[in-house]
Amino acid sequence: MIKKTMSIFEETLLASALSDFSDVPPEEKIDYTFSEKFEQKAGELIKKSRSKAWHRVNTTAKKLLIAAIITALLATSAMAIPEVREEVMKIFAHDTGTYYYFTADEDTVKNAPKEIELIYSIGYIPNGFARSNVTYQRDFVSFEYSSTDGDYIGYKQETMPDDPSHDVGPYVDSEGSKVEYVRLNGHDVMQIVFGESGEKAVAFIWTNEDYFFTMYCSSYDKITQARNMLISIEPDQQLTDAVMADLDSN
């Protein structure tokens, strides 16, 4: 894997990523010690990237911080790296080690509406599922669907946060999770499969740059039904008018 040649596109993305580490404090101020074996392997990986940006990385600490990025570039492709792909999507996933939380980029947050102006509703409900709950607020709408065998699919549309440093959306278990990117309903959707073997669930995260959307399915066995529901989501002006009239009257 390490011998894989990076494309110009990958090298450009890597150079851009490296430039973001210019404000990392000097290594003597970072209270963490890496093993000698780790430092050696990290250095080898970085050098093998042959990135021109390497010359701007002038401390061991900075080099170690970007080692994981280069490892991913060499092993797969640039679009498989969450930080790179999510930047294209205008969504960023942050892994705490136990769960993901999400933020949106500054331009998206700045330009997004502060209240729900148009509701996007689900047009397809799978056999065996029925809507069990719905909530309408000015900053979010949510729909819940339960199946006869005890499974659950939830869908939420919410406004972007006021500040790009604030998180938006749910927390999703990251331990043992698998992140993929799928094209559904005209959007790049982050698909996260997580949970213990035999009890896996799946979450879908995406944005249309106006709102943040989440779909959660309690059983991976129902992933096809959840995807079909996602594909059926469309703007619903009639529902929007009815909901806004109801909110205005209360």
Side-chain angles (χ1 to χ4, degrees):
M1 291 290 187
I2 290 178
K3 293 182 179 180
K4 176 182 180 293
T5 302
M6 291 195 299
S7 67
I8 294 175
F9 176 61
E10 290 173 328
E11 290 179 350
T12 301
L13 285 170
L14 177 57
S16 176
L18 292 176
S19 67
D20 290 337
F21 288 89
S22 59
D23 59 349
V24 174
E27 57 188 302
E28 62 270 13
K29 293 187 178 181
I30 298 178
D31 186 21
Y32 191 88
T33 302
F34 295 93
S35 70
E36 182 179 348
K37 184 177 180 180
F38 179 83
E39 290 191 14
Q40 181 182 1
K41 287 186 175 294
E44 290 173 356
L45 285 170
I46 295 168
K47 289 178 181 178
K48 285 183 179 181
S49 74
R50 297 179 182 176
S51 169
K52 294 179 181 178
W54 166 255
H55 301 292
R56 295 199 294 269
V57 184
N58 54 16
T59 70
T60 302
K62 293 180 184 179
K63 293 171 185 176
L64 294 173
L65 283 169
I66 53 85
I69 298 175
I70 296 170
T71 302
L73 278 170
L74 297 171
T76 53
S77 67
M79 296 306 281
I81 303 173
E83 290 82 358
V84 173
R85 180 73 176 201
E86 288 144 23
E87 186 168 359
V88 176
M89 294 171 61
K90 308 300 182 184
I91 295 174
F92 302 87
H94 308 268
D95 188 355
T96 67
T98 56
Y99 64 87
Y100 293 112
Y101 68 93
F102 306 93
T103 59
D105 78 343
E106 185 174 356
D107 288 339
T108 299
V109 169
K110 180 176 65 176
N111 297 322
K114 301 307 178 186
E115 295 185 354
I116 299 291
E117 297 177 352
L118 181 61
I119 295 173
Y120 289 73
S121 65
I122 292 174
Y124 166 77
I125 301 176
N127 290 334
F129 279 86
R131 193 166 75 183
S132 54
N133 191 36
V134 59
T135 303
Y136 300 121
Q137 297 291 340
R138 295 195 182 276
D139 57 350
F140 79 91
V141 295
S142 65
F143 303 82
E144 299 175 7
Y145 302 86
S146 299
S147 69
T148 53
D149 56 0
D151 289 323
Y152 160 84
I153 296 177
Y155 162 63
K156 187 176 183 180
Q157 170 190 349
E158 58 189 301
T159 56
M160 294 294 178
D162 294 330
D163 188 312
S165 66
H166 296 170
D167 62 275
V168 60
Y171 295 151
V172 178
D173 187 2
S174 65
E175 293 185 286
S177 65
K178 180 181 180 181
V179 180
E180 296 181 86
Y181 300 91
V182 292
R183 187 74 177 175
L184 296 172
N185 204 20
H187 301 290
D188 283 325
V189 178
M190 188 188 312
Q191 175 183 292
I192 307 174
V193 178
F194 60 96
E196 300 295 330
S197 179
E199 299 181 354
K200 289 191 177 297
V202 58
F204 301 92
I205 309 292
W206 75 100
T207 181
N208 64 356
E209 298 192 33
D210 286 331
Y211 306 104
F212 187 93
F213 298 90
T214 307
M215 180 171 284
Y216 168 80
C217 181
S218 64
S219 173
Y220 183 74
D221 292 339
K222 299 292 194 303
I223 188 172
T224 299
Q225 291 92 322
R227 281 188 172 194
N228 287 337
M229 293 175 74
L230 195 160
I231 291 170
S232 75
I233 294 173
E234 293 183 347
D236 191 332
Q237 189 63 59
Q238 184 176 357
L239 177 60
T240 303
D241 293 341
V243 169
M244 295 307 158
D246 182 60
L247 290 174
D248 288 341
S249 65
N250 293 326

